Amino acid sequence: APGKYHPDGGDVPVDYVSDDGVTAEDVEEEDGPQPCPEGMERCGEECFDLATDPAHCGSCENACSPDRTCAGGACVCREGLTDCDGTCVDLTSDPQHCGGCTILCPTGWVCSASNCSLECGAGLENCDGACVDLQTDPMHCGSCPNVCPTAVGADPACDAGSCSLVCQPNRW
């Protein structure tokens, strides 16, 4: 099963305690280092899936930024974002990329529903020129600067202005 496993406990989860009180650390002391479960790699003391873990994407030292997720060992833009010259942007609300990577809204204008405008549409909040729904936008959840965190096998979500995680398909 996906998740964190103790590298010295084989396929034993990090928090495992047997019926007789043996922990994953006890297994390490008794048997020495064990390999990680299939498809996982050792990063320090723990095992991770480098193909999908945004904190260890492609290598132990590579963490994806909050606007990216890990797929196939590479940091890629999260769903709903577009890669514009290496930066993940929301073409529906980014005034620097409004409706397309090369479309810049005039100074003082906002980007609302992929169009440059003088003001945000109904129900949207102006966050530095980006018109966003603070109730549903995981990059501005509840307030303009609040970015929802990511996790292994899950994507950030914003529901009623509160962050949550949504399991990725076929992960669990």
Side-chain angles (χ1 to χ4, degrees):
K4 289 200 247 180
Y5 288 86
H6 196 284
D8 301 319
D11 60 356
V12 178
V14 173
D15 58 356
Y16 173 80
V17 178
S18 70
D19 290 338
D20 59 358
V22 176
T23 67
E25 280 73 24
D26 296 332
V27 172
E28 174 185 353
E29 291 172 13
E30 292 175 13
D31 299 332
Q34 299 288 318
C36 292
E38 185 175 336
M40 300 182 85
E41 297 292 328
R42 183 185 314 255
C43 295
E45 301 270 331
E46 299 178 53
C47 295
F48 298 93
D49 183 345
L50 302 184
T52 60
D53 187 329
H56 305 90
C57 189
S59 73
C60 293
E61 300 79 29
N62 189 42
C64 299
S65 59
D67 58 351
R68 294 180 181 268
T69 190
C70 185
C75 294
V76 296
C77 293
R78 284 193 348 230
E79 185 176 336
L81 301 179
T82 301
D83 189 323
C84 291
D85 294 325
T87 301
C88 296
V89 299
D90 184 343
L91 298 178
T92 67
S93 63
D94 188 327
Q96 304 295 313
H97 309 93
C98 191
C101 287
T102 60
I103 301 172
L104 173 66
C105 290
T107 301
W109 288 45
V110 296
C111 182
S112 184
S114 299
N115 293 296
C116 294
S117 176
L118 289 173
E119 59 187 39
C120 293
L124 301 178
E125 184 75 27
N126 182 346
C127 292
D128 294 325
C131 295
V132 299
D133 184 341
L134 299 179
Q135 300 301 302
T136 60
D137 188 331
M139 296 301 289
H140 306 92
C141 189
S143 66
C144 289
N146 190 38
V147 178
C148 294
T150 60
V152 177
D155 291 318
C158 180
D159 184 32
S162 294
C163 290
S164 62
L165 294 170
V166 176
C167 289
Q168 295 170 344
N170 303 318
R171 285 289 301 172
W172 309 113

